[in-house]
Amino acid sequence: MVIRSVLLAHVRNHEHTEIVCARDVNVLSGSNGSGKTTILEAISLCAIAKSFVPVPDQALIKHGFEDCTSTVEALRDLDVPYRISVRVRNGVRKRITTAHGSSLTPRDIIGELPMVALSPDHKSVTFGGPAERRAFLDGVMAQSSKRFTELLYEHRRLLKQRNAALQAGAFMHGDGEELDVWTEQFVLVSAEVVERRNRFLADVMPIVCSAYEAVSGSAETINIVYQPDVASHGTLATDTLLSSSSVAEAYRAAARMLRPREMARESTLFGPQKDEIAFMINGGLVRETASQGQHKSLLVALKLAECELLHERCNERPVVLLDDVFSELDRDRCARVLERVLAMGMQCFVTTTEGETVLKLMKEISSTRGGNIDISMITLEGGIASYVQQSELPLHQSAEAA
Amino acid sequence: MLPSDSIERVVELFASLPTIGKKTARRLAFHVLRQPAENVEQFARALVDMRTYVRECTVCHTFTDTEVCGICASLKRDPHVICVVEQPSDVMAIERTGDFRGLYHVLHGALSPLDGIGPEDIRMRELIARLGVDMQEVILALNPNVEGEVTTQYIAKMASPLGVKLTRIARGVPMGSDLEFADDATLARAFEGRVPV
């Protein structure tokens, strides 16, 4: 996917901004608070129906206005145009419009415009708790499979319903049949989530390892260990594979065992919402043993692996958003990231406070690759964009060159 | 702000209807104002009559004017087959196909603890009471979402001791469309529900 233009109306400090994008690299430069990241957020809104950083949707609306709209015009890898517009309003459901309809839900569009974002906020994936890692994994999987997106929605809904049933004392009526039925459905959906997560992580492992080697330039061993909650209740036979039927069986046993405690706590005490995905480096837990540099390399490696995977699964090159990574990563790592993203032929958007430095770096990379990289630099100030270097090639020509 | 309080009140009332916003409500109100008085009276009376006379059929619980609805009273329909649906509007949808010759049972909702809806809050007991020995088949046609699925399973659980044949409608690819355009969630479901040829 290549984004041709982004249109922001009343998004944060942008009154009305239209950006025409270059085929390969778009450098967004400006001082703090000038509205660089907002452009990335607008793209994110059109890709995953929310910002890539955890903020409420309403925060995107410019102060003093009732709604904001982000519109992206893009070209799929097969040269089919794709247009999407997302409008956020206070207190009303988001209005998502594409050629397929004008009142779509987020799950209709997630994965259509594959996107990989890297921002300083994502440090929590390796530093933070299990919830951050689950959110990361689920995000990647949702973009690469509509069925998994559906499963996640079902799982979340069933969890809420089952908790409500426990709170309402559904086990009091009759012989607790109602709670049994909610439990069984929850078990079936949960087991499928576990099986899919397990399979996905096995697929992703070699890609993360090779990406880590490329980013860090060292031969440390990386391992991702899936620790599903189902294994912690002692009901899962240790030598079985994590197939949905064996997991479901283990969950059923766990549910019977936990029933009295669940009734007392009025809440569900098992399920994939308690899974942990442990990152290991040289045999030690990343969260406990890794150095700052290793954390950064791993995060970048994960994101590069995400790029590769989405490309493979969606049959579409993802758009890469790099938010202020140059202040976080050293020059070498940055160069490696950009080189790899460009080698995969993906369009990227880079925000930075030092536009000239990044532009120089880009030109260096460009010259090593035969100079056929299309770069555009946009300076922002107070939500107003101006071009320093315009895209050199008209889009259709550069697409052919790629 | 409108210059008349009575117009304002009508606009408020129209806007309280589903899918009607303030703007449409205002348009409707002005349209009503331009109508002859007797038309408006007819309209108002029809609304009041509907609310007064429409009730639930004592057999299938769909909406009807009479004690027993036309479908339940018909002698041409097969009383040994029941199709269970969530809403009276679902009955209309299935009737439009003209293919179903049995009777209906309307639950008026699905299980949803989040909304405080348990088995006692929908017509569940009435359904079980209808499943006598001469019942040949119960077709479950509930909405394909989490709540519909759980309600289906709950009915299956309650009805299984009665030895009635239970079936559910298929889920899958819509007619008249190409496979390549079906979304993957639907397609995955269609694969799960494949049948031998």
Side-chain angles (χ1 to χ4, degrees):
Chain A
M1 191 78 92
V2 175
I3 295 180
R4 295 196 209 218
S5 69
V6 187
L7 184 71
L8 294 85
H10 309 150
V11 188
R12 292 205 196 259
N13 59 351
H14 289 263
E15 173 97 38
H16 184 94
T17 304
E18 184 169 14
I19 303 266
V20 178
C21 310
R23 159 73 195 80
D24 295 304
V25 183
N26 294 276
V27 181
L28 305 164
S29 156
S31 52
N32 292 327
S34 59
K36 310 178 291 285
T37 304
T38 306
I39 292 175
L40 303 191
E41 287 187 290
I43 296 174
S44 173
L45 194 60
C46 287
I48 57 172
K50 59 179 180 192
S51 169
F52 57 89
V53 286
V55 291
D57 292 333
Q58 276 67 30
L60 296 174
I61 302 172
K62 187 176 164 79
H63 186 70
F65 286 86
E66 278 190 353
D67 61 354
C68 72
T69 311
S70 164
T71 307
V72 162
E73 293 209 25
L75 197 63
R76 288 184 200 270
D77 287 357
L78 293 170
D79 276 346
V80 182
Y82 176 73
R83 186 177 193 279
I84 175 164
S85 170
V86 179
R87 182 167 168 222
V88 179
R89 259 177 89 185
N90 266 324
V92 192
R93 215 164 64 102
K94 269 184 281 250
R95 194 167 180 88
I96 304 175
T97 311
T98 73
H100 287 297
S102 61
S103 52
L104 304 175
T105 59
R107 49 181 145 167
D108 292 323
I109 59 144
I110 291 174
E112 288 291 325
L113 195 171
M115 173 204 90
V116 178
L118 176 57
S119 103
D121 280 347
H122 292 135
K123 271 196 284 194
S124 55
V125 173
T126 61
F127 271 108
E132 322 276 354
R133 279 183 288 283
R134 280 194 305 272
F136 168 68
L137 179 69
D138 288 345
V140 184
M141 289 179 71
Q143 282 202 71
S144 61
S145 157
K146 276 240 162 72
R147 176 73 189 123
F148 189 75
T149 315
E150 201 87 354
L151 267 178
L152 282 180
Y153 274 96
E154 279 175 22
H155 169 262
R156 198 191 305 165
R157 184 86 187 155
L158 280 164
L159 180 63
K160 273 191 195 161
Q161 289 279 25
R162 190 171 183 271
N163 284 340
L166 282 163
Q167 277 154 24
F171 45 84
M172 312 270 276
H173 315 304
D175 305 321
E177 274 106 351
E178 195 197 345
L179 185 63
D180 285 349
V181 179
W182 284 110
T183 305
E184 179 60 17
Q185 279 306 307
F186 180 73
V187 163
L188 288 175
V189 169
S190 298
E192 202 171 336
V193 170
V194 172
E195 186 192 328
R196 278 168 184 265
R197 275 185 182 163
N198 186 46
R199 220 168 36 201
F200 188 84
L201 283 174
D203 288 350
V204 92
M205 257 299 290
I207 305 179
V208 175
C209 287
S210 76
Y212 185 84
E213 214 179 304
V215 177
S216 69
S218 68
E220 290 155 323
T221 43
I222 293 293
N223 200 4
I224 303 174
V225 184
Y226 182 36
Q227 300 170 334
D229 150 81
V230 67
S232 67
H233 300 292
T235 50
L236 186 74
T238 41
D239 51 346
T240 46
L241 294 166
L242 285 176
S243 72
S244 60
S245 56
S246 67
V247 172
E249 211 38 67
Y251 270 141
R252 280 186 202 109
R256 278 193 295 275
M257 200 176 74
L258 293 168
R259 176 66 68 97
R261 274 173 58 203
E262 289 194 322
M263 277 155 59
R265 301 264 293 268
E266 298 189 344
S267 158
T268 301
L269 296 178
F270 66 96
Q273 74 282 3
K274 293 178 180 295
D275 286 357
E276 163 69 298
I277 298 125
F279 295 132
M280 318 284 280
I281 188 161
N282 295 331
L285 261 181
V286 166
R287 196 145 66 111
E288 291 165 2
T289 62
S291 69
Q292 296 287 337
Q294 286 171 326
H295 271 288
K296 285 174 190 167
S297 295
L298 178 61
L299 180 61
V300 169
L302 287 170
K303 291 291 172 178
L304 287 175
E306 185 181 350
C307 292
E308 217 165 299
L309 253 152
L310 287 183
H311 184 193
E312 188 190 304
R313 304 259 163 131
C314 303
N315 252 325
E316 189 83 50
R317 280 170 300 183
V319 170
V320 183
L321 312 181
L322 302 173
D323 184 23
D324 206 19
V325 288
F326 291 89
S327 66
E328 287 288 320
L329 299 181
D330 51 86
R331 207 192 119 93
D332 261 11
R333 280 202 189 88
C334 286
R336 286 197 198 117
V337 170
L338 283 168
E339 262 171 50
R340 209 162 150 121
V341 167
L342 290 173
M344 290 190 276
M346 290 163 192
Q347 185 186 30
C348 67
F349 292 80
V350 188
T351 65
T352 177
T353 45
E354 298 154 44
E356 289 307 321
T357 324
V358 177
L359 197 62
K360 218 174 108 208
L361 175 67
M362 290 315 309
K363 284 185 174 156
E364 277 171 36
I365 297 175
S366 178
S367 64
T368 60
R369 297 179 56 83
N372 61 354
I373 291 179
D374 186 21
I375 306 168
S376 149
M377 175 145 140
I378 299 147
T379 340
L380 286 125
E381 210 185 313
I384 294 163
S386 52
Y387 292 86
V388 172
Q389 176 172 356
Q390 276 273 19
S391 165
E392 282 157 2
L393 302 162
L395 192 76
H396 59 277
Q397 268 181 30
S398 57
E400 272 164 32
Chain B
M1 199 61 183
L2 288 160
S4 147
D5 279 350
S6 30
I7 298 179
E8 190 77 51
R9 227 178 88 212
V10 171
V11 170
E12 287 292 329
L13 287 170
F14 272 132
S16 70
L17 298 172
T19 74
I20 307 269
K22 261 275 157 63
K23 222 163 160 183
T24 316
R26 225 169 285 145
R27 246 177 79 191
L28 290 173
F30 282 113
H31 176 83
V32 170
L33 262 186
R34 281 193 292 270
Q35 298 296 303
E38 58 267 36
N39 283 17
V40 179
E41 217 160 287
Q42 246 177 28
F43 191 90
R45 200 170 314 118
L47 283 177
V48 175
D49 284 355
M50 178 177 85
R51 192 64 194 88
T52 317
Y53 298 116
V54 172
R55 55 187 144 169
E56 283 182 26
C57 164
T58 50
V59 182
C60 72
H61 298 276
T62 193
F63 289 138
T64 171
D65 289 340
T66 48
E67 175 102 15
V68 175
C69 75
I71 296 174
C72 291
S74 168
L75 294 171
K76 291 185 187 145
R77 307 200 58 129
D78 185 355
H80 307 298
V81 181
I82 291 187
C83 177
V84 182
V85 294
E86 285 182 24
Q87 300 297 341
S89 50
D90 301 333
V91 172
M92 285 170 164
I94 298 175
E95 277 303 287
R96 273 203 302 274
T97 68
D99 272 344
F100 180 64
R101 311 297 305 156
L103 304 181
Y104 292 93
H105 187 89
V106 181
L107 290 172
H108 288 276
L111 296 178
S112 175
L114 276 175
D115 304 307
I117 301 174
E120 292 79 29
D121 305 300
I122 53 181
R123 310 284 177 271
M124 188 69 81
R125 201 176 307 137
E126 293 84 345
L127 171 66
I128 305 297
R130 288 179 75 185
L131 307 181
V133 271
D134 53 349
M135 193 57 67
Q136 284 164 3
E137 185 177 356
V138 175
I139 303 167
L140 302 170
L142 278 68
N143 289 331
N145 53 26
V146 163
E147 290 76 17
E149 181 60 38
V150 165
T151 311
T152 299
Q153 297 304 329
Y154 185 81
I155 296 172
K157 201 162 182 168
M158 301 308 282
S160 65
L162 304 170
V164 186
K165 179 183 173 191
L166 286 167
T167 55
R168 65 181 308 163
I169 55 166
R171 296 178 291 198
V173 187
M175 286 294 291
S177 78
D178 281 352
L179 271 192
E180 59 174 319
F181 296 126
D183 70 273
D184 10 357
T186 309
L187 211 49
R189 284 291 173 84
F191 264 85
E192 280 168 20
R194 64 186 182 276
V195 289
V197 284

